[in-house]
Amino acid sequence: MSELPLSVLDVAPVAVNGSNGEALRNTTELARRVEALGYGRFWVAEHHNMPAIASSSPAVLLAHLAAATSTIRVGSGGVMLPNHAPLVVAEQFGTLEALHPGRIDLGVGRAPGTDQYTALALRRTMEGLSAEHFPEELQDLIAYFEGDARILASPGKGDKPDVWLLGSSGYSAQLAGALGLPFAFAHHFSAQNTLPALALYRTNFRPSRWLAEPYAMVAVSAIAAPTDEEAEFLSEPSALSFLRLRSGRPEPLATPEEAAAYPYSEREREFVLQRREGQALGSPDTVRKQLIELLEATRADEFMLTCMVYDLEARARSFELIRAEVAPALRKVDGWARG
């Protein structure tokens, strides 16, 4: 048995009293801190038209993060391929890999990561926005890195980052398995689909020139604090932000005090409680039990932790507590991917 690798997913949360610049500086500082703690990867997610999130341009942000760190892998969690021409993504991430060889991950998703109006503004055409085009565009993207395309991607050819497929349902799980790619599942917002998707991935996995055995990473929301009560308090802004987003009224991240005082309706409270399913939230003892249970259920090869809280220090402390008091108990059974 070996210790489970742990990584970090961040969205550069924008606080109600802050700015985009402050959010991006906080993300940079967090990347430095989790690198020092021994986390393996630091990914940022592409979202658009969301005032609570400043990570709308992953390639630009990753260039800055890679330059501000020295050993941790940095990557996209993910680049949403329907928003971009594959050649553009190949050149952007080929450039990153050329600048920081061996440290770049390209996580690719098939959803636009935003509403349809914004997706249309990004793509400028409805063509390519449906799921049916995604496998072809993914193959085109890989071909640019492999040098198998008619057009030369430079940088790109010969500067291939590690390519991951992201998903929150069975569609991407099956495709990742068929192509022999590592798979990252969004358990943090699709907990009910986690086990079926992982089963599909492993069942459909075919060895490739990139991967001999299936490799599944599970992204999970994890907030650790000295007590369960404080962790609950810190989680309130994220829950309110998600509610507002789904209600069509997105706003910057509220303070914990503002979020705790929000007058939830019975239906809204039920929605927030449902979203809590599968999260790891509480003191180190509580989070340890929750993550061990999730590990036993998923047989994940890696956990990617996301911690959307208002204050940078509280966010960093959560990762410190998990690294020191939770990580040693998370043990992966070597070779269990096909078990």
Side-chain angles (χ1 to χ4, degrees):
M1 298 177 68
S2 57
E3 188 170 310
L4 188 78
L6 294 180
S7 295
V8 174
L9 172 66
D10 196 67
V11 296
V14 182
V16 66
N17 297 318
S19 66
N20 289 326
E22 182 180 8
L24 294 168
R25 287 189 291 273
N26 285 344
T27 287
T28 305
E29 176 61 21
L30 184 66
R32 294 190 184 103
R33 295 196 191 187
V34 298
E35 177 181 59
L37 291 169
Y39 284 84
R41 311 175 199 273
F42 191 92
W43 284 10
V44 295
E46 178 185 352
H47 292 287
H48 302 276
N49 197 28
M50 296 183 187
I53 293 175
S55 58
S56 59
S57 300
V60 177
L61 180 53
L62 290 173
H64 176 69
L65 295 176
T69 55
S70 58
T71 57
I72 196 169
R73 297 188 67 93
V74 298
S76 58
V79 161
M80 313 317 288
L81 195 54
N83 298 337
H84 313 282
L87 176 59
V88 172
V89 178
E91 289 176 338
Q92 289 175 343
F93 278 78
T95 300
L96 288 169
E97 177 67 21
L99 288 169
H100 306 280
R103 292 184 57 210
I104 305 300
D105 294 328
L106 171 54
V108 180
R110 73 176 179 92
T114 186
D115 59 272
Q116 287 297 308
Y117 289 109
T118 307
L120 181 58
L122 288 161
R123 187 82 177 195
R124 297 194 296 175
T125 175
M126 292 300 294
E127 185 178 354
L129 288 177
S130 64
E132 64 183 284
H133 295 279
F134 179 72
E136 180 182 351
E137 295 203 332
L138 179 61
Q139 295 276 29
D140 288 344
L141 173 61
I142 294 173
Y144 286 124
F145 290 123
E146 300 290 327
D148 297 330
R150 293 178 61 186
I151 299 171
L152 174 66
S154 181
K157 179 184 176 181
D159 298 303
K160 181 178 175 292
D162 282 3
V163 178
W164 291 68
L165 196 53
L166 279 56
S168 58
S169 67
Y171 179 95
S172 293
Q174 294 182 74
L175 182 58
L179 296 178
L181 292 172
F183 180 55
F185 188 82
H187 176 80
H188 58 303
F189 64 79
S190 188
Q192 70 277 8
N193 292 326
T194 304
L195 297 184
L198 293 178
L200 282 171
Y201 170 61
R202 289 165 178 144
T203 299
N204 287 276
F205 184 84
R206 299 294 179 268
S208 67
R209 58 186 180 275
W210 308 297
L211 202 61
E213 298 283 340
Y215 192 95
M217 179 161 63
V218 174
V220 54
S221 177
I223 301 176
T227 66
D228 289 348
E229 293 75 18
E230 184 177 349
E232 292 273 357
F233 181 66
L234 293 173
S235 74
E236 293 283 356
S238 176
L240 179 58
S241 179
F242 195 73
L243 172 66
R244 286 171 167 170
L245 176 64
R246 287 299 175 91
S247 302
R249 45 191 177 90
E251 298 180 21
L253 202 63
T255 67
E257 293 79 9
E258 290 169 338
Y262 179 82
Y264 286 97
S265 67
E266 183 175 340
R267 185 175 180 180
E268 289 175 333
R269 178 59 68 182
E270 181 180 351
F271 173 83
V272 168
L273 291 176
Q274 287 177 346
R275 185 179 177 270
R276 287 274 301 274
E277 180 185 354
Q279 294 187 11
L281 178 66
S283 68
D285 286 344
T286 301
V287 170
R288 185 186 309 111
K289 294 173 184 176
Q290 293 165 334
L291 289 182
I292 287 174
E293 182 178 339
L294 180 63
L295 180 58
E296 291 174 347
T298 62
R299 297 180 290 119
D301 297 287
E302 187 171 341
F303 278 163
M304 177 161 274
L305 309 179
T306 181
C307 178
M308 190 172 180
V309 301
Y310 180 83
D311 179 66
L312 170 64
E313 294 305 321
R315 211 179 342 159
R317 182 183 60 179
S318 177
F319 288 114
E320 291 170 2
L321 289 172
I322 291 173
R323 180 74 258 178
E325 301 187 39
V326 177
L330 300 176
R331 314 297 294 182
K332 182 176 77 170
V333 178
D334 296 329
W336 70 2
R338 292 191 178 276

